[in-house]
Amino acid sequence: MKVIELNHPLIEHKLSILRDKHTGTKEFRELIQEISMFLCYEAMKDVKLESVEIETPITKIKSGKLNEDCYAFVPILRAGLGMLDGVISVIPNAKIGHIGMYRDEETFEPVNYFFKVPKDIEHREVIILDPMLATGGSAIDAIELLKSKGVKKIKFLCIIAAPEGILAVEEKHPDVQIFCAKIDSHLNENKYIVPGLGDAGDRIFGTK
Ligand code: PRP
Ligand code: URA
């Protein structure tokens, strides 16, 4: 499935501020939320709306409405939490699950430490949130956990994706569509995205 990259000068403008190492926590968080909101609009382009009758101050019309009960957001902790407010502003009634995952600093392999999703998750389209798709290990494991719960339709939203991570996810889960604000150049020897924005979790939560 083709990766969708937001291609817009204002997104590039916001990414330039986000990437800048001098950008502080407050602005960093706000930009992650704002870009996530646009990613969510893009990811929802294919949704089917229900036709309902509404009455404007002028006349009655048939108009499309989203059944918000069909969706769940699942941020990958910690950094995915930074995207949550942005996407909730688009679909306020979506349910929310959480997957706790961190990357082992030596092996770069993901370690899962928490998994809690809505009971009826198998009936929902799931939108996974994580700002960074680096090796793809965390995304692949998160998708596997959700599929093991019976989830059939999954989308993956990230701010920055590395080509290596995209390839890895596409190979294991070709049915999962990836949406990103930007595809970057490559991973460095520490598996950080180049040019990237550094450690997203640390910058969102101010832990370093
Ligand atoms: C980061 C990021 C992803 C993961 C991406 O999380 O938020 O979850 O690394 O790397 P991968 O594609 O190689 O798996 P991190 O392990 O830093 O945890 P944190 O969100 O708690 O900071
Ligand atoms: N996780 C991050 O937060 N940043 C990277 O560049 C890679 C993984």
Side-chain angles (χ1 to χ4, degrees):
M1 220 182 256
K2 203 173 153 292
V3 178
I4 307 289
E5 185 184 27
L6 295 184
N7 217 339
H8 195 290
L10 290 184
I11 295 291
E12 168 140 6
H13 164 73
K14 287 173 191 301
L15 282 173
S16 301
I17 304 170
L18 196 69
R19 290 179 191 278
D20 189 331
K21 68 176 186 182
H22 301 294
T23 297
T25 307
K26 178 179 180 288
E27 198 176 7
F28 191 88
R29 282 185 194 141
E30 288 167 355
L31 285 165
I32 291 273
Q33 281 180 33
E34 203 176 335
I35 297 170
S36 302
M37 188 182 77
F38 290 115
L39 278 170
C40 191
Y41 275 106
E42 190 61 38
M44 299 302 286
K45 253 185 171 170
D46 66 345
V47 295
K48 305 246 180 317
L49 301 179
E50 292 171 1
S51 179
V52 295
E53 189 172 275
I54 58 159
E55 200 172 350
T56 77
I58 312 295
T59 184
K60 280 185 183 169
I61 51 160
K62 290 261 188 199
S63 190
K65 267 201 164 177
L66 183 71
N67 181 355
E68 296 188 37
D69 292 335
C70 298
Y71 302 94
F73 293 119
V74 176
I76 300 180
L77 310 183
R78 292 175 301 166
L81 282 178
M83 300 173 73
L84 198 52
D85 281 350
V87 297
I88 286 175
S89 67
V90 182
I91 314 178
N93 288 306
K95 291 261 168 72
I96 296 158
H98 293 86
I99 297 180
M101 200 89 89
Y102 70 87
R103 233 173 42 155
D104 183 285
E105 281 179 11
E106 273 156 30
T107 64
F108 309 115
E109 290 295 321
V111 181
N112 175 229
Y113 60 88
F114 189 76
F115 184 70
K116 182 100 183 162
V117 290
K119 263 202 191 105
D120 58 354
I121 193 82
E122 72 273 20
H123 300 305
R124 292 171 182 270
E125 176 175 329
V126 172
I127 299 150
I128 302 177
L129 312 170
D130 192 329
M132 309 305 276
L133 177 63
T135 65
S138 308
I140 288 167
D141 284 8
I143 294 165
E144 265 154 27
L145 282 167
L146 290 163
K147 284 187 174 175
S148 74
K149 287 280 171 190
V151 178
K152 281 160 213 76
K153 186 156 186 195
I154 299 175
K155 289 171 179 164
F156 187 89
L157 268 53
C158 59
I159 305 287
I160 295 181
E164 294 90 329
I166 293 172
L167 277 177
V169 174
E170 278 177 344
E171 198 180 300
K172 290 262 177 180
H173 300 290
D175 56 310
V176 174
Q177 177 123 51
I178 300 168
F179 296 82
C180 66
K182 190 76 189 169
I183 302 172
D184 267 6
S185 167
H186 63 281
L187 298 177
N188 68 13
E189 62 283 7
N190 294 317
K191 308 289 182 200
Y192 270 77
I193 301 175
V194 182
L197 48 74
D199 189 303
D202 283 338
R203 294 195 68 184
I204 290 167
F205 295 105
T207 36
K208 258 191 193 153

